Amino acid sequence: MKRFFILLMTIAGGVFAGNSIIQTMAEELSRSYKVLSKEKPYPVYFMQYEIMEEHQSSIIASLGVIIDEKEERNRYLDVDVRVGSYKLDNYHEIRGAEEYDWWSSPIEVPIDDHARALKLILWAETDKKFKAAQERYIKILNERQVKVLESDTSPDFSPAPKIVYSEKIDTLAFDRELWKEKLRNLSAVFKNHPWIYGSRVSLRATSLTKYLVNTEGTRLVHSQSSYSIQIYAETMADDGMELYLSYPVFARNIKDIPDDEILRIYIDSLIQNLYALRNAPMVEPYSGPAILMNRACGVFFHEIFGHRIEGHRQKSEFEGQTFTKKLNEKIMPDFISVYDDPTLEKFNYKDLNGHYLFDDEGVKAQKAVIVDNGVLKGFLMSRSPIAGFPVSNGHGRRQYGRKVVARQGVLYIKSTKEVPFEELRTNLIEECKKQNKPYGLIFYDIAGGFTMTGREGPQTFKVIPLFVKRIYVDGRPDEVVRGVDIVGTPLLSLSKIIMTGNDYDIFNGTCGAESGWVPVSAIAPSILVSEIEVEKKSKGQERPPILPAPIAPSE
Amino acid sequence: MKIINTQKNKYSTFEFGPWILILSGMLYSMPLCSSLFETANNNEDILFRALQDELKRSICELQLPKQERPYYIAYRVLDLKEVEIKASGGGLIASNEERSRELFVDLRVGSYQLDNSNFICPTFTSRIIESDRIQLPLEDEYLALRRAIWLVTDGTYKKALEVLAKKIAYFQNKQVNDTIPDFIKVKPCSLFEPIVHPVFDRSDLNKKITALSAVLNRYREIKESFVRFKLKSGNQYFIDSDGAKSVRGELITGIEVRAKAQAQNGTLIDDFIEFYSQGIDDLNFVKITEAINAWAETLTLKVNTRPEEESYSGPVLFLGPAACELFFQVLGKGVSGVRNAVIESEMLERSVSKENLGLFSNRLGRRILPEFISVFDDPNLKGYNDIKTIGGFSVDEQGVKSEKVELVKDGKLINFLMCRTPTNKIRTSNGHARYWSEIYVPRYIGFVSNLIIKSQKPVKEEELIKKLKEVAREYGNEYALIITRLQPTFPRTEYEQYQRFYQMRTKSIPILSSPVNIYKVDVHSDKIELIHGLDFAQVSLGILKDIIATGDREYVYNFIYRNEYGDEFPVSIAAPAVLVEDIELVPKKEKIEKPATVPRP
């Protein structure tokens, strides 16, 4: 992919002469801004249009046939209008009960570059946003007279340098019929396992192109595509517990998806693991030493740590603010450093889903140092400043139709106390002996989890492991177990890390929060913790199917 | 519209309908587990074979220890292809095509007298073993289909047992008893329509729809607008344990236009217009363009008039689509055969949808309309007065052969639209079943298909207007009202559906929706003027008895009814203009917003 990068140099017309969308957006932006920036009593001081074009194509196969197929191309518009000033504007948090509308219906715009049609929509949406901005701003001015001052009095918005950049649009390129046949064949493997109640092998291809213009002169066109294969199977244990495993494969180019033989190996091992899980004993609540395998560790950090260092949470009066006042304090062992670097495209030759060039506020992606040798150094910043952090570090992200907040991109957990995995395992057993525990746990895979960051709830997290083994101190073979969730509180959990492996790996996923779904990655080594707490997972009460699975007719 | 007849496996170019119906001998009262399931042989029948084999196995063997086997199982597969093209201001917003194949399971335990239906209670089912409905593979492969059918049958059976146990417990505790049977026997219907496969050029359609959307650009008052084309072609495959087996094809296309207009004084009006028919060729784009222009001109005119500030009481003439809506909303919904389900707890009561269905249920044999009006519903109609209708079907969603039903004879209510769920008064189905995704437990209701209103005293429309003025003068009014369009009573967008689902369930819906287009007619001259800002005060079912005259022209109105769960039922209504003697309308609050600050581009 050819890219050219121009900073603070050209006027929009020159670079984007061929790009009619960005031109239409820029024209309409400046036409509106000319009027609205002079509107009394509360003029507009900043405006931004962002259009996201999403082209999605998916194929799902199960038991040798296609069960679902979709192809969709849409363009969505987000209009941001700010009235007031950088210091105080209509995006300021309202501390009274603000009604949250769960329904977000994104604004669709033409996919065929029709300038007039696009202009009409830009105009109508700007008008709506401008009116809403005025109304909210008046409310905010009012509130400031009746309520106490917030603890963080940072401005509501920070200026950002003008950027002009355009790259070739990355379109989807794959042979649909060929892939349908591949998926049919791969998914047919599950036919021989009637104890698996649901299974699928799917391909999801997405290309996302973003067009952004703002009144600071920034003009951006950037584009990315991705291909992901998902292998999924589910079953039910005899006691009614629902069990599932999935295996994702991610690549920016379809050519980098592994061959069928390798995918077959993934499928076979997934079937094997699910079978072991189905027959595995239930684990009782336990607290003791454990290893979180690399990918599982990435998810663990994303959930318990990553979400708490998002900038806006340090300012909001509704948030728990676990780390806000801990700047320059030691929050985890000194052999660990954490940063979020969306500029990373690959790690160990593998593509990163969380990579991007610019965020959704027109700011260039940057590496953000969060923890340096155990000491908290910074936060993930959007253009909403917080005390001590006046500018963005390019982490303002959103899904179309949502309001931007600071989000993770590529979270990187780096250790200086690395040992080979085998040694980590030996240390786990040693630690168990020290604590007089008969066994420790290894968490191989984690489905995801959730974390409560709000001030009114407890500051806890829950992480859902998919595949866990018990490691016995007395030399008995490792044993697959099921039915546990990891629970805990972030500050305590982070201080329990003893050492790490040298086996860094990637977790590629999609993260959902208040600004919608965004692609993310986490890079982490396996970690040994002196204490982790697991509790019983809630379990279904259904029986497995009454009649045996139908088999193919003998003819 | 070209249709591929896959049963013959070649292209044939006959028009959609009339159907070639193959009505085989009807079987009644079948012994279970005998060889009633004939084996299918050609490719198309892999689906039927998988359904039949699993049905047979389940009815004979599906049983939990100490529990009963199902006494009835029906499988209905809806193989649906939907095309949606959306455009705005001359630009193409989206053009998508989607296929789905959903299986609906109706599984009953207990007996015809008392089974797991007609009772609403919370149930907790597994995510892995689903119940009631699932998506089947899109491709015909026996084993993949069987596995899917097997699991959903298992889940539905367990849920049925749970519901029946709760129902019996509830009856015992509350000392109540529902003496009406839960389900009735019908003659199994065997009917095979050709499968529908619409063939069309999507890029050509994209152009046509974007061109239509550009029509609205010249109306400066129109602030936002879009045009949406919809094609829905569905093939229904039905089989049940009573021996019914049928295939039905259905094709509906339509164009929907929505716009928001704003006047200089800030008045905002949201409006819509729709065109529905059977095939794409039935949509005449020249005529539709003309109609959109006429509609946009009316909208422009309307938004620029001052909202009415005075109440009105007196005669109202319902003309065109307004007359059809009036009959659909009051009569059509009112004669729906709906069994009031027993609801386990008061908390749940609020979650059950309220759509004003079956309000006439206790008026059988009584006069509900003037003596000169009769009404029937005929699902077998493909058209009426040379206009194609969309409400019809040959076999309903419970696999019952659809029948013409005389509903009102000389003003008296004589029947209801029925499914296999009997009500207090009617214990037979007339093939009008529609699947209704109720909370926790889906159910079937009898619903309107093609509703035809016939008058024995047609009056020329000019005469009708004269009569309107006359009555108004008698009332001492200076003017009378003509209403040409009403709002629909159902959610039209996903957002409205969401609102209805989460916020408006507790509220009841008015019997008659707000008027969209109202004209003020001077009683002393020919002066006629478009107004807005009035709504009906309170309308009761008695409104139909207040009809004093009807017009001579019969209007046909096609639309798709949608409930808050997203179930869609095509409906056609044919009705003459009607003059209602006395209705009260009151001013309603209109939306007023500051006009746009930046001039229109």
Side-chain angles (χ1 to χ4, degrees), chain A residues 197-299:
Chain A
Y197 301 147
S199 61
R200 46 184 187 262
V201 183
S202 59
L203 168 69
R204 187 191 178 88
T206 310
S207 96
L208 183 66
T209 305
K210 298 185 179 187
Y211 304 86
L212 185 146
V213 299
N214 70 22
T215 48
E216 286 162 341
T218 291
R219 305 283 183 265
L220 299 173
V221 181
H222 53 123
S223 178
Q224 263 185 326
S225 47
S226 66
Y227 300 85
S228 66
I229 298 282
Q230 187 89 28
I231 300 161
Y232 176 87
E234 60 189 18
T235 186
M236 200 184 259
D238 287 339
D239 61 8
M241 180 173 285
E242 294 172 351
L243 301 163
Y244 67 94
L245 286 176
S246 72
Y247 194 88
V249 180
F250 174 86
R252 292 271 172 217
N253 192 317
I254 192 88
K255 289 190 198 86
D256 295 332
I257 296 284
D259 292 341
D260 289 2
E261 292 85 79
I262 295 175
L263 294 176
R264 261 304 292 267
I265 295 169
Y266 294 155
I267 292 174
D268 289 338
S269 95
L270 185 127
I271 292 171
Q272 223 170 39
N273 287 348
L274 190 63
Y275 189 76
L277 209 51
R278 190 171 184 256
N279 298 303
M282 291 266 287
V283 154
E284 288 305 307
Y286 163 91
S287 154
I291 288 174
L292 286 164
M293 284 289 283
N294 41 32
R295 278 161 25 96
C297 173
V299 177

Side-chain angles (χ1 to χ4, degrees), chain A residues 28 31-32 35-36 39 62-75 101-103 108-112 114 116-117 119-121 123-125 127-128 130-131 180 184 190-191 193-194 196-198 232 234-236 242-244 542-553 555, chain B residues 49 54 57-58 61-65 86 88-99 124-129 135-144 146-148 150-151 154-155 157-158 162 210 217-218 220 222-224 260 262 494-495 498 503 593-601:
Chain A
E28 196 51 32
R31 194 180 75 91
S32 281
V35 179
L36 298 178
E39 252 320 271
S62 179
L63 302 176
V65 287
I66 304 301
I67 61 165
D68 194 29
E69 201 180 347
K70 279 196 181 78
E71 171 107 41
E72 250 180 86
R73 198 156 76 93
N74 297 91
R75 273 185 196 159
D101 192 2
W102 284 98
W103 178 270
E108 291 174 292
V109 297
I111 50 176
D112 57 4
H114 193 287
R116 183 177 170 138
K119 277 191 174 179
L120 277 169
I121 298 173
W123 166 72
E125 278 315 304
D127 185 52
K128 269 191 223 164
F130 172 65
K131 283 171 183 154
K180 275 164 88 166
R184 276 190 201 106
F190 290 97
K191 274 187 177 182
H193 304 277
I196 292 176
Y197 301 147
Y232 176 87
E234 60 189 18
T235 186
M236 200 184 259
E242 294 172 351
L243 301 163
Y244 67 94
E542 287 290 317
R543 286 165 182 260
I546 301 159
L547 297 174
I551 45 165
E555 73 228 288
Chain B
R49 192 148 58 101
E54 200 53 42
R57 181 167 82 135
S58 298
E61 297 170 33
L62 186 59
Q63 188 167 25
L64 270 176
K86 196 176 164 185
S88 175
L92 182 68
I93 299 278
S95 174
N96 296 317
E97 203 171 321
E98 212 181 306
R99 202 186 137 205
F124 302 96
T125 47
S126 154
R127 188 184 57 81
I128 288 178
I129 304 174
Q135 284 296 334
L136 286 183
L138 298 178
E139 297 175 319
D140 285 325
E141 206 272 338
Y142 182 83
L143 187 71
R146 271 291 296 271
R147 289 261 174 94
W150 160 63
L151 282 174
D154 185 86
Y157 171 65
K158 288 167 184 163
E162 188 187 336
T210 45
N217 281 355
R218 62 188 182 90
R220 296 199 60 83
I222 292 181
K223 216 176 157 190
E224 291 167 51
K260 198 185 263 181
Q262 187 172 33
E494 278 178 34
Y495 180 62
Y498 157 85
Q503 295 159 12
E593 209 175 72
K594 225 167 91 181
T597 316
V598 180
R600 199 172 195 263

Side-chain angles (χ1 to χ4, degrees), chain B residues 466-484:
Chain B
K466 262 189 208 161
K467 173 112 185 163
L468 168 76
K469 290 182 180 177
E470 222 176 271
V471 181
R473 272 198 300 267
E474 280 169 26
Y475 270 75
N477 288 353
E478 288 301 303
Y479 59 89
L481 298 182
I482 297 176
I483 295 174
T484 56

